[in-house]
Amino acid sequence: MSDDKVTLAHVARLAGVSMITVSKVLNNKGRISEATRARVLQAANQLGYVANSAARSLRGRPTQILGMVIPELVSPYFAEVARAAADSASQMGYDLAVFTTSRDPERERERVGTLLGGLADGLVFVVPIGAAGFLATLERSRSPVVLVNHFGAPTHLPVVRADSFEGSLAAVRHLIALGHRRIGFVSGAAHSSQAAERLRAYRECMMAAGLWDEQLVRPGDFTQGRGVEAGHELLSLENPPTAIFAASDLTAFGVIAAARSRGLRVPEDLSVVGFDDIPAAAHSHPGLTTVAHPIPAMARAAVELIARAMAGEKVRDVLIEFPSELVVRDSSAPPPAPGDRRKSP
Amino acid sequence: MSDDKVTLAHVARLAGVSMITVSKVLNNKGRISEATRARVLQAANQLGYVANSAARSLRGRPTQILGMVIPELVSPYFAEVARAAADSASQMGYDLAVFTTSRDPERERERVGTLLGGLADGLVFVVPIGAAGFLATLERSRSPVVLVNHFGAPTHLPVVRADSFEGSLAAVRHLIALGHRRIGFVSGAAHSSQAAERLRAYRECMMAAGLWDEQLVRPGDFTQGRGVEAGHELLSLENPPTAIFAASDLTAFGVIAAARSRGLRVPEDLSVVGFDDIPAAAHSHPGLTTVAHPIPAMARAAVELIARAMAGEKVRDVLIEFPSELVVRDSSAPPPAPGDRRKSP
DNA sequence: CTTTTTAGAGTTAACGTTAACCCATAACCT
DNA sequence: AGGTTATGGGTTAACGTTAACTCTAAAAAG
């Protein structure tokens, strides 16, 4: 009942021809008579033959597969990136093989090797926090590689990324324009260059407006849980903020949860702005004011860049940067009039 | 500057040893002197050597990679399944390679072949609408395979799935218990067996309660857009429903949007219940009453099953079914008192 | 001082597929 | 008839890696 692997040899024997003939039929190469072709296809079907892609790719054939290495799929941001890329790839006739690495550098290296070592024709590498230590290796590789959201060490590899600075600037300016003077900030993970950009924008803007106060900045890690903690920390200050800018939407949700648990209303008592514009931001109540990365556009650009590289085009040193954009929803409003604010316990 | 692929041979030449020695060092096999080992590692590093996984797997070595073939990542349900599986796999020391097929049967076959043909040690196949036509082929394969959410033709392959019937029953009963008598239903995609189960539960429950009316059932396709349309259709009936059960959360959001655009409040004027419990369901306003599949548990079960199969255990004919569960939030409430309801234009 | 053991390295062959040739046969020219 | 060209198909030799041996020299045992 259960054969082992079915190989070309099995099909060939059943069809009464050589392996090569089978290979030619299956790849539509060379000249084969209709009769032989039919016999081979029938035999292949009967045996349930499926080509061994490892052997095939070892022989140097393109696989029509694009690889993606991404830190994780758990956070909505990365999930969005993966699905957008899968979409774009599919539209261009490629399939996307998505690998997660849990941010383990050893795994990153391995997975990149797996993909470039024959499995995939090209690689989209979504750079994790802290960037990869083996970009040099990647540069040396002949295979087309595109880095997504790389902000680290300079490289000749093509990069597609979304700006975090301008969008963050817009967010803080928005809050200042609404009349806020005490604006808290919950930052992203320590080694994320995206997080650094967001903090830099906040700092620059606050300093320029003469509103800078180190107490208003709390470390974060992009998670919701940390948002809750940081929210409580900020709201416990003796001169608490009337608005909080969080470096991710999840963190912003955490801040909102913290505020509510203290009896504060959003946005009447506290304005909250997030970053990422994950789908939940639009569906939450109140709708979350946030900064959006154009993820589908980025994904499309990355896939297109890969395709161009595979077509032989030179893409060294290409850098495509997408602007981030402030999306104003309902979680930001003017600060409460002095004395009008509910006191948090 | 740019070498071609770096192979064992290159490393071997640089280190002044044979390829085999290099292989042994890199795989920690055989006896190698410390001096040689160090020399080889240094050479490998210097050249940026990465093993060619195609060749390696061709040779029969396990890859520590689990494959997942899934229709798409665009809908939150599938995205959740993928991320949960990646999580479980990672915890068990495996990596998950996720392939999307856009529901193209040809592609499914190809991708399954790619994965089983050396790339992956096992396969989690999330069965698309209408099931796969090549389960027989899969059954014959020696590689461990688990089907997720398979409801189609009987198979000996192990299956992990979530029930849709009981949860749907609970949802409709919940609405009836609240006092609703006119309960609409927007179904899922035509060929989805999950959708069929949900419809079957609705029909059975409504008939048992003497509330069945064919007019109240509208075809759907799991999308939000179709939810909007179907919502309008149902609310335009001369005797419109006071509650609508949608076969997916996205569709439910569409129904809510339709209701709001007609000036109806949810849940005061119209109760809405979804299915899936996607993350947005918890964050939306009002929180969506819905039926939850225990996706993380399913994913874990699937991965564990694969692991057991790889360990040699017999898993033929295993069927693990998880119950679905009604999650009551704020989008369902008693129907408005007669005459009290806002009229939709 | 010979024999046995063992550490350390190398040889051979094979995994499944296919590119690049090569070899028949038959049909077509001049 | 002798040569040329299609046509249909087979041979050979890799792709990069590694399992299972084999070989060598030196250390340990007798």
Side-chain angles (χ1 to χ4, degrees):
Chain A
M1 175 142 310
S2 100
D3 324 31
D4 242 284
K5 311 250 175 200
V6 180
T7 76
L8 270 190
H10 298 129
V11 179
R13 200 176 322 132
L14 181 58
V17 296
S18 74
M19 282 162 44
I20 316 308
T21 304
V22 178
S23 172
K24 281 178 183 165
V25 169
L26 267 29
N27 295 292
N28 285 317
K29 293 243 169 125
R31 315 173 178 292
I32 305 289
S33 69
E34 261 319 307
T36 308
R37 164 184 306 276
R39 206 147 29 91
V40 168
L41 288 177
Q42 139 72 10
N45 248 332
Q46 182 180 331
L47 294 173
Y49 170 79
V50 186
N52 181 319
S53 56
R56 181 175 272 181
S57 90
L58 187 56
R59 209 59 197 69
R61 267 186 103 240
T63 57
Q64 292 294 93
I65 292 174
L66 253 40
M68 166 170 271
V69 174
I70 195 164
E72 39 123 338
L73 288 174
V74 177
S75 91
Y77 183 83
F78 288 124
E80 281 295 309
V81 171
R83 75 168 75 167
D87 228 35
S88 295
S90 164
Q91 279 171 27
M92 301 189 62
Y94 288 94
D95 256 340
L96 192 73
V98 182
F99 281 83
T100 54
T101 63
S102 311
R103 295 202 168 76
D104 175 348
E106 183 57 33
R107 258 202 195 148
E108 277 164 25
R109 190 179 203 112
E110 267 180 33
R111 292 313 158 229
V112 167
T114 304
L115 285 164
L116 260 30
L119 170 58
D121 298 341
L123 175 66
V124 179
F125 187 29
V126 181
V127 179
I129 291 170
F134 56 102
L135 290 183
T137 307
L138 236 38
E139 279 192 49
R140 232 176 314 169
S141 138
R142 269 288 185 75
S143 317
V145 176
V146 171
L147 304 181
V148 171
N149 278 350
H150 173 71
F151 286 88
T155 173
H156 293 300
L157 294 169
V159 173
V160 173
R161 68 188 190 194
D163 155 81
S164 272
F165 187 80
E166 291 295 334
S168 302
L169 223 52
V172 181
R173 284 191 184 133
H174 164 68
L175 290 170
I176 293 177
L178 284 172
H180 294 279
R181 291 294 170 266
R182 298 285 290 170
I183 302 174
F185 182 75
V186 185
S187 72
H191 300 298
S192 158
S193 33
Q194 295 263 10
E197 288 288 284
R198 295 170 197 179
L199 173 57
R200 189 166 68 87
Y202 165 81
R203 180 198 303 258
E204 232 166 73
C205 200
M206 292 294 278
M207 283 189 161
L211 300 174
W212 173 256
D213 176 355
E214 195 161 354
Q215 282 201 313
L216 291 171
V217 178
R218 297 289 149 163
D221 57 5
F222 291 132
T223 68
Q224 188 156 354
R226 181 58 200 143
V228 175
E229 293 171 19
H232 280 300
E233 288 169 27
L234 286 168
L235 294 171
S236 301
L237 292 175
E238 47 185 296
N239 187 4
T242 60
I244 296 178
F245 178 31
S248 86
D249 285 349
L250 287 180
T251 303
F253 287 136
V255 168
I256 290 176
R260 287 199 173 137
S261 81
R262 302 170 79 94
L264 295 175
R265 294 161 305 165
V266 176
E268 291 83 352
D269 301 314
L270 180 73
S271 289
V272 177
V273 176
F275 202 115
D276 285 343
D277 195 26
I278 63 178
H283 294 116
S284 70
H285 182 75
L288 187 66
T289 295
T290 186
V291 181
H293 272 181
I295 294 179
M298 278 172 62
R300 175 173 307 280
V303 172
E304 270 169 11
L305 217 47
I306 290 276
R308 279 162 53 191
M310 289 192 298
E313 196 176 324
K314 274 295 214 180
V315 293
R316 274 172 63 91
D317 294 308
V318 169
L319 170 62
I320 305 182
E321 186 154 37
F322 288 88
S324 49
E325 194 174 299
L326 181 66
V327 179
V328 178
R329 294 205 181 88
D330 316 313
S331 67
S332 54
D340 194 29
R341 182 181 187 179
R342 295 198 190 171
K343 269 290 166 229
S344 70
Chain B
M1 174 148 310
S2 98
D3 325 30
D4 241 286
K5 311 248 173 200
V6 180
T7 75
L8 270 190
H10 298 131
V11 178
R13 200 177 321 136
L14 180 60
V17 295
S18 74
M19 283 163 42
I20 317 308
T21 304
V22 178
S23 172
K24 282 178 183 162
V25 169
L26 267 30
N27 295 291
N28 286 317
K29 294 243 168 126
R31 318 172 175 293
I32 304 288
S33 70
E34 262 319 309
T36 309
R37 165 183 305 276
R39 206 146 32 89
V40 167
L41 287 177
Q42 139 72 11
N45 247 332
Q46 182 179 329
L47 293 173
Y49 171 78
V50 185
N52 180 320
S53 57
R56 180 175 274 182
S57 90
L58 188 56
R59 207 61 195 71
R61 269 186 104 242
T63 57
Q64 291 293 94
I65 292 174
L66 253 39
M68 167 171 269
V69 174
I70 195 166
E72 39 123 339
L73 289 174
V74 177
S75 89
Y77 183 82
F78 288 123
E80 280 297 309
V81 171
R83 77 169 72 167
D87 228 35
S88 295
S90 165
Q91 279 173 26
M92 302 189 62
Y94 289 93
D95 255 341
L96 192 74
V98 181
F99 281 83
T100 54
T101 63
S102 312
R103 297 201 167 75
D104 176 348
E106 183 57 33
R107 255 200 200 150
E108 277 164 26
R109 188 177 203 113
E110 268 179 34
R111 292 314 156 230
V112 168
T114 304
L115 285 164
L116 260 30
L119 169 59
D121 298 341
L123 174 67
V124 179
F125 187 29
V126 181
V127 179
I129 290 172
F134 57 103
L135 290 183
T137 307
L138 235 41
E139 278 192 49
R140 232 177 314 171
S141 139
R142 271 286 186 76
S143 318
V145 176
V146 171
L147 303 181
V148 172
N149 277 350
H150 173 70
F151 285 87
T155 174
H156 294 299
L157 295 168
V159 172
V160 174
R161 68 188 188 193
D163 155 80
S164 274
F165 187 81
E166 291 296 333
S168 302
L169 223 51
V172 180
R173 284 190 184 135
H174 163 68
L175 290 171
I176 293 177
L178 283 172
H180 293 277
R181 291 295 169 264
R182 298 285 290 169
I183 302 172
F185 182 73
V186 185
S187 72
H191 299 298
S192 158
S193 33
Q194 296 263 9
E197 288 288 284
R198 294 170 198 179
L199 173 57
R200 189 165 68 87
Y202 165 80
R203 181 198 303 259
E204 233 167 72
C205 199
M206 291 294 277
M207 283 189 162
L211 300 174
W212 172 257
D213 175 357
E214 195 162 355
Q215 280 201 316
L216 290 171
V217 179
R218 298 288 151 164
D221 59 4
F222 292 131
T223 69
Q224 189 156 356
R226 180 60 202 141
V228 175
E229 293 170 18
H232 280 301
E233 289 168 25
L234 287 167
L235 295 171
S236 300
L237 292 175
E238 46 184 298
N239 188 2
T242 58
I244 295 178
F245 177 30
S248 88
D249 285 350
L250 287 179
T251 302
F253 286 137
V255 168
I256 291 176
R260 286 199 173 135
S261 80
R262 302 170 79 95
L264 297 174
R265 295 161 303 167
V266 175
E268 291 83 353
D269 301 314
L270 180 74
S271 288
V272 177
V273 176
F275 201 115
D276 285 344
D277 196 26
I278 64 178
H283 293 116
S284 70
H285 183 74
L288 185 68
T289 295
T290 187
V291 181
H293 272 182
I295 294 180
M298 277 172 61
R300 175 173 308 279
V303 172
E304 271 170 12
L305 218 44
I306 289 276
R308 281 163 52 190
M310 290 191 299
E313 195 175 326
K314 275 292 214 178
V315 293
R316 274 171 63 91
D317 294 307
V318 170
L319 168 62
I320 305 181
E321 186 154 38
F322 288 88
S324 49
E325 193 173 301
L326 180 66
V327 179
V328 178
R329 295 207 180 87
D330 316 313
S331 66
S332 53
D340 193 31
R341 182 179 188 179
R342 293 197 191 174
K343 270 288 166 229
S344 66

Short mmCIF file of all heavy atoms in Angstrom, two decimals, chain B residues 305-339:
data_model
loop_
_atom_site.label_atom_id
_atom_site.label_comp_id
_atom_site.label_asym_id
_atom_site.label_seq_id
_atom_site.Cartn_x
_atom_site.Cartn_y
_atom_site.Cartn_z
N LEU B 305 0.97 16.26 17.00
CA LEU B 305 0.65 15.06 16.23
C LEU B 305 1.75 14.77 15.22
O LEU B 305 2.17 13.62 15.03
CB LEU B 305 -0.68 15.28 15.51
CG LEU B 305 -1.66 14.11 15.41
CD1 LEU B 305 -1.78 13.38 16.72
CD2 LEU B 305 -3.00 14.61 14.93
N ILE B 306 2.22 15.81 14.58
CA ILE B 306 3.31 15.66 13.61
C ILE B 306 4.54 15.11 14.32
O ILE B 306 5.21 14.19 13.84
CB ILE B 306 3.66 17.03 12.99
CG1 ILE B 306 2.57 17.48 12.05
CG2 ILE B 306 4.99 16.95 12.26
CD1 ILE B 306 2.68 16.91 10.68
N ALA B 307 4.82 15.68 15.46
CA ALA B 307 6.00 15.25 16.19
C ALA B 307 5.90 13.78 16.56
O ALA B 307 6.86 13.02 16.43
CB ALA B 307 6.18 16.12 17.45
N ARG B 308 4.71 13.39 16.98
CA ARG B 308 4.52 11.98 17.33
C ARG B 308 4.70 11.10 16.10
O ARG B 308 5.31 10.03 16.18
CB ARG B 308 3.13 11.78 17.94
CG ARG B 308 3.07 12.20 19.41
CD ARG B 308 1.64 12.39 19.89
NE ARG B 308 0.79 11.24 19.60
CZ ARG B 308 -0.55 11.25 19.75
NH1 ARG B 308 -1.15 12.35 20.14
NH2 ARG B 308 -1.24 10.17 19.47
N ALA B 309 4.16 11.55 15.00
CA ALA B 309 4.30 10.77 13.77
C ALA B 309 5.77 10.64 13.39
O ALA B 309 6.23 9.58 12.96
CB ALA B 309 3.51 11.42 12.64
N MET B 310 6.52 11.71 13.56
CA MET B 310 7.92 11.67 13.20
C MET B 310 8.70 10.76 14.14
O MET B 310 9.72 10.19 13.76
CB MET B 310 8.51 13.08 13.19
CG MET B 310 7.95 13.88 12.02
SD MET B 310 8.79 15.44 11.75
CE MET B 310 8.50 16.25 13.27
N ALA B 311 8.19 10.65 15.34
CA ALA B 311 8.85 9.77 16.31
C ALA B 311 8.48 8.31 16.04
O ALA B 311 8.88 7.42 16.77
CB ALA B 311 8.46 10.17 17.73
N GLY B 312 7.69 8.11 14.99
CA GLY B 312 7.39 6.74 14.60
C GLY B 312 6.06 6.21 15.09
O GLY B 312 5.66 5.10 14.78
N GLU B 313 5.36 7.03 15.86
CA GLU B 313 4.09 6.57 16.40
C GLU B 313 3.05 6.46 15.28
O GLU B 313 3.08 7.19 14.31
CB GLU B 313 3.61 7.58 17.45
CG GLU B 313 2.51 7.06 18.33
CD GLU B 313 2.20 8.08 19.42
OE1 GLU B 313 3.14 8.77 19.87
OE2 GLU B 313 1.04 8.19 19.80
N LYS B 314 2.14 5.54 15.45
CA LYS B 314 1.07 5.38 14.47
C LYS B 314 0.00 6.44 14.72
O LYS B 314 -0.54 6.52 15.82
CB LYS B 314 0.43 3.99 14.63
CG LYS B 314 1.16 2.90 13.87
CD LYS B 314 1.00 3.10 12.36
CE LYS B 314 0.94 1.75 11.64
NZ LYS B 314 0.74 1.96 10.19
N VAL B 315 -0.30 7.23 13.73
CA VAL B 315 -1.33 8.24 13.94
C VAL B 315 -2.43 8.16 12.89
O VAL B 315 -3.23 9.07 12.73
CB VAL B 315 -0.74 9.66 13.93
CG1 VAL B 315 0.15 9.87 15.13
CG2 VAL B 315 0.03 9.91 12.65
N ARG B 316 -2.46 7.07 12.16
CA ARG B 316 -3.53 6.90 11.18
C ARG B 316 -4.89 6.93 11.87
O ARG B 316 -5.06 6.43 12.97
CB ARG B 316 -3.37 5.56 10.47
CG ARG B 316 -2.44 5.59 9.28
CD ARG B 316 -2.17 4.20 8.77
NE ARG B 316 -3.38 3.54 8.30
CZ ARG B 316 -3.80 3.59 7.03
NH1 ARG B 316 -3.11 4.29 6.16
NH2 ARG B 316 -4.90 2.99 6.66
N ASP B 317 -5.83 7.55 11.20
CA ASP B 317 -7.22 7.58 11.66
C ASP B 317 -7.43 8.34 12.96
O ASP B 317 -8.50 8.27 13.55
CB ASP B 317 -7.76 6.15 11.84
CG ASP B 317 -7.85 5.43 10.50
OD1 ASP B 317 -8.47 5.99 9.59
OD2 ASP B 317 -7.26 4.35 10.38
N VAL B 318 -6.42 9.06 13.41
CA VAL B 318 -6.63 9.87 14.59
C VAL B 318 -7.47 11.09 14.22
O VAL B 318 -7.26 11.72 13.19
CB VAL B 318 -5.27 10.35 15.16
CG1 VAL B 318 -5.48 11.40 16.24
CG2 VAL B 318 -4.50 9.16 15.72
N LEU B 319 -8.46 11.37 15.04
CA LEU B 319 -9.27 12.57 14.81
C LEU B 319 -9.39 13.32 16.12
O LEU B 319 -9.89 12.78 17.11
CB LEU B 319 -10.66 12.22 14.29
CG LEU B 319 -11.68 13.37 14.28
CD1 LEU B 319 -11.20 14.49 13.35
CD2 LEU B 319 -13.06 12.88 13.86
N ILE B 320 -8.89 14.53 16.15
CA ILE B 320 -9.02 15.34 17.36
C ILE B 320 -9.94 16.50 17.04
O ILE B 320 -9.65 17.31 16.15
CB ILE B 320 -7.65 15.86 17.83
CG1 ILE B 320 -6.69 14.70 18.02
CG2 ILE B 320 -7.80 16.66 19.11
CD1 ILE B 320 -5.32 15.12 18.52
N GLU B 321 -11.03 16.57 17.75
CA GLU B 321 -11.97 17.65 17.47
C GLU B 321 -12.07 18.57 18.69
O GLU B 321 -12.25 18.10 19.81
CB GLU B 321 -13.34 17.10 17.10
CG GLU B 321 -14.31 18.18 16.65
CD GLU B 321 -15.39 17.65 15.72
OE1 GLU B 321 -15.87 16.52 15.95
OE2 GLU B 321 -15.76 18.35 14.77
N PHE B 322 -11.99 19.86 18.45
CA PHE B 322 -12.09 20.82 19.53
C PHE B 322 -13.47 21.46 19.50
O PHE B 322 -14.00 21.74 18.43
CB PHE B 322 -11.01 21.89 19.40
CG PHE B 322 -9.64 21.39 19.72
CD1 PHE B 322 -8.85 20.83 18.73
CD2 PHE B 322 -9.15 21.46 21.00
CE1 PHE B 322 -7.59 20.35 19.01
CE2 PHE B 322 -7.88 20.98 21.30
CZ PHE B 322 -7.10 20.43 20.31
N PRO B 323 -14.00 21.71 20.67
CA PRO B 323 -15.31 22.37 20.69
C PRO B 323 -15.17 23.85 20.38
O PRO B 323 -14.15 24.47 20.66
CB PRO B 323 -15.76 22.17 22.14
CG PRO B 323 -14.49 22.08 22.92
CD PRO B 323 -13.48 21.44 22.01
N SER B 324 -16.19 24.39 19.77
CA SER B 324 -16.25 25.84 19.60
C SER B 324 -17.06 26.41 20.75
O SER B 324 -17.85 25.71 21.38
CB SER B 324 -16.88 26.19 18.26
OG SER B 324 -18.08 25.48 18.07
N GLU B 325 -16.87 27.66 21.00
CA GLU B 325 -17.44 28.20 22.23
C GLU B 325 -18.02 29.60 21.99
O GLU B 325 -17.41 30.43 21.34
CB GLU B 325 -16.31 28.30 23.27
CG GLU B 325 -16.81 28.55 24.66
CD GLU B 325 -15.65 28.45 25.65
OE1 GLU B 325 -15.01 27.37 25.70
OE2 GLU B 325 -15.35 29.46 26.31
N LEU B 326 -19.20 29.80 22.52
CA LEU B 326 -19.84 31.11 22.36
C LEU B 326 -19.18 32.12 23.29
O LEU B 326 -19.01 31.87 24.48
CB LEU B 326 -21.34 31.00 22.68
CG LEU B 326 -22.14 32.31 22.55
CD1 LEU B 326 -22.19 32.77 21.10
CD2 LEU B 326 -23.55 32.13 23.11
N VAL B 327 -18.80 33.26 22.73
CA VAL B 327 -18.23 34.34 23.54
C VAL B 327 -19.21 35.50 23.50
O VAL B 327 -19.40 36.13 22.46
CB VAL B 327 -16.88 34.80 22.97
CG1 VAL B 327 -16.31 35.93 23.82
CG2 VAL B 327 -15.90 33.63 22.89
N VAL B 328 -19.86 35.74 24.63
CA VAL B 328 -20.87 36.80 24.65
C VAL B 328 -20.22 38.14 24.98
O VAL B 328 -19.58 38.29 26.02
CB VAL B 328 -21.98 36.49 25.67
CG1 VAL B 328 -23.00 37.62 25.72
CG2 VAL B 328 -22.67 35.18 25.31
N ARG B 329 -20.35 39.09 24.08
CA ARG B 329 -19.85 40.45 24.35
C ARG B 329 -21.03 41.41 24.28
O ARG B 329 -22.10 41.11 24.80
CB ARG B 329 -18.74 40.80 23.36
CG ARG B 329 -17.50 39.91 23.52
CD ARG B 329 -16.23 40.63 23.05
NE ARG B 329 -15.05 39.77 23.22
CZ ARG B 329 -14.64 38.89 22.29
NH1 ARG B 329 -15.28 38.79 21.15
NH2 ARG B 329 -13.58 38.14 22.51
N ASP B 330 -20.85 42.52 23.64
CA ASP B 330 -21.88 43.57 23.75
C ASP B 330 -22.76 43.74 22.52
O ASP B 330 -23.63 44.60 22.50
CB ASP B 330 -21.21 44.91 24.06
CG ASP B 330 -20.16 44.77 25.12
OD1 ASP B 330 -20.44 44.11 26.14
OD2 ASP B 330 -19.04 45.29 24.93
N SER B 331 -22.53 42.97 21.49
CA SER B 331 -23.29 43.21 20.27
C SER B 331 -24.62 42.44 20.25
O SER B 331 -25.34 42.49 19.26
CB SER B 331 -22.45 42.83 19.04
OG SER B 331 -22.22 41.44 19.01
N SER B 332 -24.90 41.72 21.30
CA SER B 332 -26.17 41.00 21.37
C SER B 332 -26.93 41.43 22.61
O SER B 332 -26.36 41.54 23.69
CB SER B 332 -25.93 39.49 21.38
OG SER B 332 -25.03 39.12 22.41
N ALA B 333 -28.22 41.67 22.45
CA ALA B 333 -29.06 42.14 23.55
C ALA B 333 -30.50 41.76 23.22
O ALA B 333 -30.77 41.31 22.11
CB ALA B 333 -28.92 43.66 23.69
N PRO B 334 -31.38 41.91 24.16
CA PRO B 334 -32.79 41.62 23.85
C PRO B 334 -33.27 42.50 22.71
O PRO B 334 -32.76 43.61 22.51
CB PRO B 334 -33.52 41.95 25.16
CG PRO B 334 -32.49 41.84 26.22
CD PRO B 334 -31.21 42.27 25.58
N PRO B 335 -34.26 42.03 21.97
CA PRO B 335 -34.78 42.84 20.86
C PRO B 335 -35.50 44.07 21.40
O PRO B 335 -35.92 44.07 22.56
CB PRO B 335 -35.75 41.88 20.18
CG PRO B 335 -36.12 40.87 21.20
CD PRO B 335 -34.95 40.75 22.13
N PRO B 336 -35.60 45.10 20.57
CA PRO B 336 -36.32 46.30 21.01
C PRO B 336 -37.79 45.96 21.22
O PRO B 336 -38.33 45.08 20.56
CB PRO B 336 -36.15 47.26 19.83
CG PRO B 336 -35.84 46.40 18.65
CD PRO B 336 -35.11 45.20 19.19
N ALA B 337 -38.42 46.65 22.16
CA ALA B 337 -39.86 46.45 22.35
C ALA B 337 -40.57 46.86 21.07
O ALA B 337 -40.14 47.81 20.40
CB ALA B 337 -40.36 47.30 23.52
N PRO B 338 -41.63 46.20 20.71
CA PRO B 338 -42.33 46.53 19.46
C PRO B 338 -42.70 48.00 19.45
O PRO B 338 -43.20 48.53 20.43
CB PRO B 338 -43.57 45.63 19.52
CG PRO B 338 -43.21 44.50 20.42
CD PRO B 338 -42.25 45.07 21.41
N GLY B 339 -42.47 48.67 18.34
CA GLY B 339 -42.78 50.09 18.24
C GLY B 339 -41.67 50.96 18.76
O GLY B 339 -41.56 52.14 18.41
#
